[in-house]
């Protein structure tokens, strides 16, 4: 009782502050100003939940989802990125009698069935609510907590890799060898990795060859960055008429 009395005193002080801040009359207030003043008066946070009513037959066909684990398989995941559902999850975890979930897609909250194109509808209600025992004319109080759309990613995505380095501080010890198997259907095993390293080492030595290191008949096989300026395979870089 003492705790309740202290809470009542604090609530009374807060109500007095809101009454003092409220306008004396609604005359001259626009619609937006009136709604803001009314919300600030009735709620300490300035937020008011607006609920509506609908008949039971106005709801889609819903099934109890507490046995399907909707909280653990769906709510706990989407609540991480949806603030409104975060508050709902907190209520479900802290209350002794949490709300009972209902859904139009029992057992398939992630809509993995391609033949069923219905949107997911998740409803949370007091445990005493039983839609099966209600007549179609029974009024039900409802409020929308959140609404959003999701896109299932494509099974195949184009990806890429980028490797950065700081020049001119980079040295050969910082080189990165990106090895891929020659066949997409064959794993990169130890034997293949040794072969790739061996070929890479050989190619590294070959690419360091200068034209003077090769016999004349092989000078055309020098790296593309080295273009012979004389001989039978000379490649001129200047324009000629």
């Amino acid at each position: 009782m003492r705790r309740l009395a202290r809470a009542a005193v604090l609530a009374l002080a807060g109500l007095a502050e809101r009454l003092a801040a409220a306008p004396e009359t609604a005359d001259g207030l626009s619609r937006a100003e009136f709604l803001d003043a009314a919300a600030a008066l009735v709620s300490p946070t300035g937020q008011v939940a607006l609920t509506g009513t609908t008949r039971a037959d106005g709801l889609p066909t819903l099934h109890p989802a507490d046995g399907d684990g909707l909280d653990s398989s769906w709510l706990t995941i989407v609540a991480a990125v949806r603030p409104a559902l975060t508050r709902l999850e907190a209520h479900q975890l802290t209350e002794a009698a949490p709300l009972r979930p209902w859904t139009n897609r029992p057992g398939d909250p992630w809509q993995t069935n391609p033949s069923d194109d219905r949107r997911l509808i998740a409803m949370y209600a007091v445990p005493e609510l039983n839609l099966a025992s209600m007549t179609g004319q029974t009024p039900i109080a409802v409020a929308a907590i959140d609404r959003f759309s999701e896109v299932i990613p494509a099974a195949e995505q184009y990806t890429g890799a980028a490797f950065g380095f700081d020049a001119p501080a980079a040295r050969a010890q910082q080189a990165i060898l990106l090895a891929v198997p020659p066949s997409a259907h064959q794993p990169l095993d130890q034997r293949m990795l040794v072969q790739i390293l061996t070929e890479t080492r050989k190619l590294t030595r070959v690419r360091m060859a200068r034209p003077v290191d090769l016999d004349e008949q092989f000078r055309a096989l020098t790296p593309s960055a080295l273009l012979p300026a004389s001989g039978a395979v000379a490649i001129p870089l200047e324009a000629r008429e």
Side-chain angles (χ1 to χ4, degrees):
M1 292 297 294
R2 292 180 179 179
R3 181 179 179 182
L4 182 61
R6 289 194 297 267
V9 171
L10 294 175
L12 183 61
L15 179 59
E17 293 178 0
R18 298 200 301 273
L19 285 172
E24 295 292 337
T25 177
D27 296 340
L29 297 179
S30 65
R31 181 177 182 273
E33 292 172 340
F34 173 78
L35 293 176
D36 289 341
L41 178 62
V42 301
S43 173
T45 62
Q47 297 174 323
V48 180
L50 299 178
T51 61
T53 59
T54 184
R55 298 190 347 168
D57 56 6
L59 297 174
T61 303
L62 299 174
H63 306 275
D66 43 1
D68 296 332
L70 188 66
D71 283 356
S72 59
S73 63
W74 177 79
L75 180 61
T76 186
I77 297 176
V78 296
V81 294
R82 306 296 303 182
L85 298 182
T86 300
R87 294 187 290 269
L88 174 60
E89 183 190 30
H91 175 88
Q92 294 294 93
L93 294 174
T94 57
E95 290 296 320
L99 300 175
R100 186 184 188 188
W102 298 71
T103 179
N104 64 329
R105 301 178 67 101
D108 187 27
W110 296 107
Q111 307 177 59
T112 58
N113 184 4
S115 62
D116 188 354
D117 58 355
R118 295 176 301 164
R119 294 184 177 183
L120 172 69
I121 297 178
M123 184 184 76
Y124 284 80
V126 293
E128 296 79 13
L129 180 69
N130 187 0
L131 296 177
S133 63
M134 291 183 176
T135 62
Q137 294 76 21
T138 303
I140 301 176
V142 295
I145 297 179
D146 201 356
R147 180 179 181 180
F148 55 94
S149 299
E150 293 180 318
V151 178
I152 300 176
E156 297 182 0
Q157 297 286 347
Y158 291 100
T159 60
F163 300 93
F165 63 92
D166 297 328
R171 297 294 184 268
Q173 292 82 352
Q174 298 176 351
I176 297 176
L177 175 61
L178 181 61
V180 295
S183 175
H185 304 288
Q186 184 177 1
L188 189 64
D189 55 16
Q190 184 175 358
R191 182 189 59 81
M192 188 179 301
L193 183 59
V194 172
Q195 182 179 355
I196 291 176
L197 292 175
T198 302
E199 293 179 357
T200 302
R201 184 176 179 85
K202 291 180 179 180
L203 289 174
T204 302
R205 296 176 62 87
V206 169
R207 289 173 181 174
M208 291 299 296
R210 301 172 301 171
V212 296
D213 298 328
L214 303 175
D215 295 335
E216 185 174 355
Q217 64 267 28
F218 298 122
R219 290 182 180 176
L221 303 178
T222 54
S224 58
L226 301 175
L227 304 177
S230 60
V233 293
I235 302 177
L237 300 180
E238 67 276 3
R240 294 183 179 182
E241 296 181 359

